[in-house]
Amino acid sequence: MGVVISVKNFKKNYGSFEAIKGIDFDVEKGMIYGFVGKNGAGKSTTIRSMMNMIFPTQGEIIINGMDCSKNSKKIMEMTSYMPSDITYYDNLTVSEFLEFILKFSSKTKDDMDELCLYFELNSKKKISELSLGNKKKATIVAMLLKDAELLVLDEPTNGLDPLMQKKFFELILKEKAKGNTIFLSSHNLMEVEKYCDKVCIIKDGIIVDILDMKETKIRYKQGLHYTLKDGTEVNRDIDEDINETIKELAKLDLLTLEIKNKSVEDEFITYYMDEEVADNE
Amino acid sequence: MSNILKLAKFQLRNKRNMIIGWMIGTFSMMFLYMILFDSMKELGQAKLDAMPKEIMQFMGVESFDIMLNWIAYFGMIFGIFIMVVSIFAATYSGSIFYNEEKTKSIEFLDALPVSRSEVYYSKVLTSFIGILGVCISIAVAAMTCGYINGGDTFILMDFLTIVKISSFTIFFFMAVSCFIGGVTGKISAGIAGATITVAIYMLGYLSRLLESKGEILSYFSPFVLFDSTRALALSNQTVLFLVIYFVLFIALIVGGSYFYNRRDFHI
């Protein structure tokens, strides 16, 4: 598979503050690539640099072989971006807003109406009259109306009800099936675990891990939680031969034993915690 | 060019209420001022005679005979409108740049298959069309009154000369705000542009107060350089300043684009 996004030694400073301290990662064509990290970790800075809204202090971001800072117009012809904040043009109606997008796309008004119907969005309403969830839907429809091989999504389901979240990901999976690439930044770890092929975890401007979700799901399939008779509680992963683990457990003076399916979400959470908290736990 | 027009049309649609509001407001005000020309002749002359000279200079009035001549009366009123609409132009143009970054809607525009230059020039075009609309509504209001009550002193060619030359001041301050909006998104280009506009107006006022001693100050104030009296006289000096300010106008617009292409959006 070809590389669609290639981030090379990317650094971004705001004055003396280093927001991104030199990161490298590649996103391959046709995958859903998760981008995870707590607030202020550098996710939006990286995405905004991809979209040529801010310029790298050092390094480069290449999309489809083109430098983001130099070829943004060409890149945008094949990219659809959905920002996390929804602050569009309040004086316009939804249809005025979406019809403007159509001027830059090969999609038709029928496609627009179909998407509005799918997301139960009233296109005759003014944007200022929409609820947060409906504004989000308008943003999603706008994103899907563009001719894109790459979808860059920043917190796409924030504010959507569970049914709409499900419908949204059904469409995203269709985009993936077409061979399109999806770059997904999200705080919703369940959706990241469920839909992403690879996940890049960023913390304080550096990449702390890149997980292949197939491998990770197998590796973290089960975990153990037990309490010894002296009151000590232990959590551990079953990451070796399970028979050996049972032999080890037989030697312990156990009060309780619980075998649980471990979620990858639990793994992500450790990256969200401050180092000290994580160490204490 | 096609993308610039598409973007400008979209932004104008979004700003239509504000532009229409200003067009109606300025039309009504100018119409009210100019329709009262006949009744103001006697009353206004008496009032002006009683006014301190400094106040007259602040309004850009040099002679007390203006109430007898429609074109001269229009020149005085238009001078006040030029100042007000210049502040509007600076604020409106600046807000087109600044608000887009403040509300982060620039994330939407920038993600379209358009270049930053196209976004920048679409904003300049949006500003230009909006301000042109306001200027035309003022001119139409005045011209209508000119035909109604101007009599022999309403000379269309003189009227159009004043409108064309003096209105340039408004577009100059539009360019100032476009430049500020191009250079930075951190400060409100509208407020900065309006502050500069008022400061330059005050500089012109000072040059009038100081008379011949303040001549040099007037070179920095298009309010003075292109006022109705100088517009009508159209001396070589006025033409020279028109050329200089036009070059400066282009430099501000192009300079703003240069910075806009190279800076981070403040989002």
Side-chain angles (χ1 to χ4, degrees):
Chain A
M1 280 196 284
V3 172
V4 176
I5 304 173
S6 182
V7 178
K8 295 174 183 172
N9 190 30
F10 167 56
K11 286 185 188 177
K12 180 64 190 174
N13 298 347
Y14 293 108
S16 58
F17 173 69
E18 287 183 298
I20 305 286
K21 297 165 184 165
I23 60 172
D24 298 85
F25 63 85
D26 290 332
V27 178
E28 288 161 7
K29 186 173 167 55
M31 66 162 49
I32 301 182
Y33 194 93
F35 198 47
V36 170
K38 62 182 182 180
N39 292 333
K43 300 188 300 294
S44 292
T45 299
T46 307
I47 289 175
R48 283 169 179 164
S49 293
M50 280 182 192
M51 298 294 108
N52 192 40
M53 284 164 211
I54 53 176
F55 292 92
T57 305
Q58 195 181 307
E60 56 185 5
I61 300 176
I62 306 290
I63 293 182
N64 274 344
M66 291 177 282
D67 190 320
C68 282
S69 307
K70 294 170 188 160
N71 299 287
S72 77
K73 188 177 173 180
K74 280 189 180 168
I75 289 169
M76 290 309 165
E77 282 168 6
M78 59 184 85
T79 305
S80 199
Y81 169 54
M82 182 177 166
S84 58
D85 294 308
I86 315 148
T87 41
Y88 287 153
Y89 305 90
D90 284 351
N91 292 335
L92 303 179
T93 63
V94 173
S95 66
E96 280 175 331
F97 169 63
L98 296 175
E99 279 166 18
F100 174 64
I101 307 279
L102 288 177
K103 290 181 180 173
F104 296 91
S105 166
S106 65
K107 302 266 172 68
T108 62
K109 198 167 178 302
D110 288 343
D111 295 321
M112 180 186 108
D113 293 339
E114 198 180 310
L115 280 167
C116 287
L117 195 67
Y118 181 81
F119 283 110
E120 298 163 27
L121 178 65
N122 183 351
S123 64
K124 286 173 188 157
K125 273 195 167 182
K126 269 195 165 187
I127 292 178
S128 58
E129 292 166 2
L130 298 179
S131 65
L132 173 69
N134 280 326
K135 279 185 182 175
K136 201 82 188 185
K137 287 180 197 172
T139 319
I140 292 169
V141 174
M143 182 264 298
L144 291 168
L145 281 178
K146 285 178 71 182
D147 304 309
E149 297 167 20
L150 169 65
L151 307 180
V152 178
L153 315 175
D154 195 359
E155 301 286 339
T157 54
N158 184 23
L160 285 185
D161 63 52
L163 176 66
M164 286 301 150
Q165 288 185 21
K166 187 172 172 283
K167 283 182 145 191
F168 170 75
F169 274 105
E170 281 170 7
L171 286 185
I172 291 300
L173 289 173
K174 278 185 188 170
E175 291 294 324
K176 185 189 170 189
K178 286 183 209 166
N180 293 335
T181 310
I182 294 103
F183 187 84
L184 170 72
S185 165
S186 178
H187 280 304
N188 188 332
L189 301 178
M190 272 175 67
E191 69 187 24
V192 170
E193 179 182 351
K194 193 171 176 185
Y195 298 107
C196 291
D197 299 302
K198 250 184 185 182
V199 177
C200 174
I201 299 159
I202 186 168
K203 187 176 183 182
D204 301 329
I206 54 171
I207 288 174
V208 288
D209 214 342
I210 295 177
L211 305 171
D212 185 309
M213 294 308 286
K214 270 186 195 163
E215 289 173 12
T216 309
K217 279 174 185 167
I218 294 166
R219 185 152 51 101
Y220 292 105
K221 203 170 180 181
Q222 288 188 312
L224 282 177
H225 174 251
Y226 56 82
T227 313
L228 299 175
K229 280 191 177 161
D230 64 5
T232 313
E233 284 190 37
V234 176
N235 279 306
R236 59 177 282 193
D237 299 325
I238 303 177
D239 52 357
E240 65 266 13
D241 184 347
I242 191 160
N243 296 310
E244 289 300 318
T245 308
I246 289 168
K247 281 177 194 171
E248 278 178 39
L249 290 173
K251 292 172 194 168
L252 300 173
D253 198 8
L254 293 172
L255 186 66
T256 64
L257 172 65
E258 187 185 357
I259 299 171
K260 57 179 184 178
N261 287 329
K262 197 180 175 194
S263 155
V264 183
E265 190 181 342
D266 298 334
E267 174 76 2
F268 291 154
I269 286 289
T270 59
Y271 293 110
Y272 272 68
M273 294 176 187
D274 289 333
E275 276 162 23
E276 284 177 27
V277 177
D279 289 346
N280 290 340
E281 290 210 351
Chain B
M1 192 62 190
S2 152
N3 284 342
I4 294 174
L5 292 176
K6 281 181 201 168
L7 290 167
K9 199 175 162 190
F10 175 71
Q11 291 173 91
L12 277 169
R13 188 177 284 183
N14 194 42
K15 293 275 181 190
R16 65 192 161 194
N17 292 348
M18 186 199 223
I19 296 167
I20 291 168
W22 267 87
M23 284 173 74
I24 293 171
T26 49
F27 180 94
S28 310
M29 291 295 288
M30 180 54 98
F31 192 85
L32 192 68
Y33 273 112
M34 296 312 296
I35 206 72
L36 293 174
F37 171 65
D38 278 334
S39 54
M40 292 283 277
K41 269 183 190 171
E42 291 173 14
L43 179 69
Q45 188 63 48
K47 291 268 181 199
L48 283 178
D49 285 343
M51 247 185 214
K53 192 182 168 196
E54 288 76 12
I55 299 288
M56 299 288 290
Q57 284 166 329
F58 186 78
M59 291 160 68
V61 179
E62 288 167 3
S63 163
F64 293 107
D65 299 330
I66 57 163
M67 289 300 181
L68 305 173
N69 183 304
W70 192 94
I71 287 291
Y73 176 72
F74 166 72
M76 180 191 77
I77 300 295
F78 195 53
I80 298 165
F81 272 75
I82 291 285
M83 180 187 69
V84 173
V85 179
S86 291
I87 293 171
F88 160 72
T91 312
Y92 165 69
S93 308
S95 72
I96 286 175
F97 286 89
Y98 176 70
N99 288 354
E100 200 96 66
E101 290 179 55
K102 190 184 168 196
T103 62
K104 298 185 183 179
S105 57
I106 191 68
E107 286 195 276
F108 160 71
L109 274 194
D110 197 57
L112 294 169
V114 294
S115 67
R116 277 206 188 193
S117 290
E118 286 171 334
V119 172
Y120 176 84
Y121 284 109
S122 75
K123 288 182 180 298
V124 173
L125 187 61
T126 306
S127 303
F128 183 82
I129 293 171
I131 294 162
L132 187 67
V134 173
C135 290
I136 289 173
S137 70
I138 292 170
V140 168
M143 197 164 67
T144 308
C145 293
Y147 281 115
I148 294 170
N149 60 11
D152 293 342
T153 57
F154 172 64
I155 303 159
L156 185 62
M157 288 314 291
D158 287 355
F159 168 78
L160 292 176
T161 304
I162 293 172
V163 169
K164 279 189 284 184
I165 293 176
S166 297
S167 296
F168 174 74
T169 304
I170 296 170
F171 292 97
F172 177 76
F173 289 106
M174 175 203 90
V176 170
S177 278
C178 289
F179 178 76
I180 298 168
V183 170
T184 180
K186 287 179 187 171
I187 58 164
S188 167
I191 292 173
T195 306
I196 292 170
T197 308
V198 172
I200 288 178
Y201 186 82
M202 294 309 290
L203 204 66
Y205 168 57
L206 197 63
S207 79
R208 280 184 174 131
L209 265 186
L210 297 171
E211 295 176 345
S212 60
K213 289 178 194 168
E215 176 74 14
I216 196 155
L217 291 179
S218 70
Y219 300 160
F220 300 101
S221 181
F223 291 107
V224 177
L225 290 174
F226 311 125
D227 68 8
S228 57
T229 314
R230 296 194 196 201
L232 271 182
L234 204 60
S235 66
N236 287 342
Q237 194 193 35
T238 305
V239 174
L240 177 69
F241 278 115
L242 259 179
V243 172
I244 292 170
Y245 270 85
F246 186 73
V247 170
L248 199 54
F249 169 85
I250 298 292
L252 286 167
I253 298 287
V254 175
S257 164
Y258 175 84
F259 288 106
Y260 197 72
N261 278 317
R262 284 160 182 80
R263 73 168 168 87
D264 288 350
F265 285 132
H266 189 66
I267 44 179

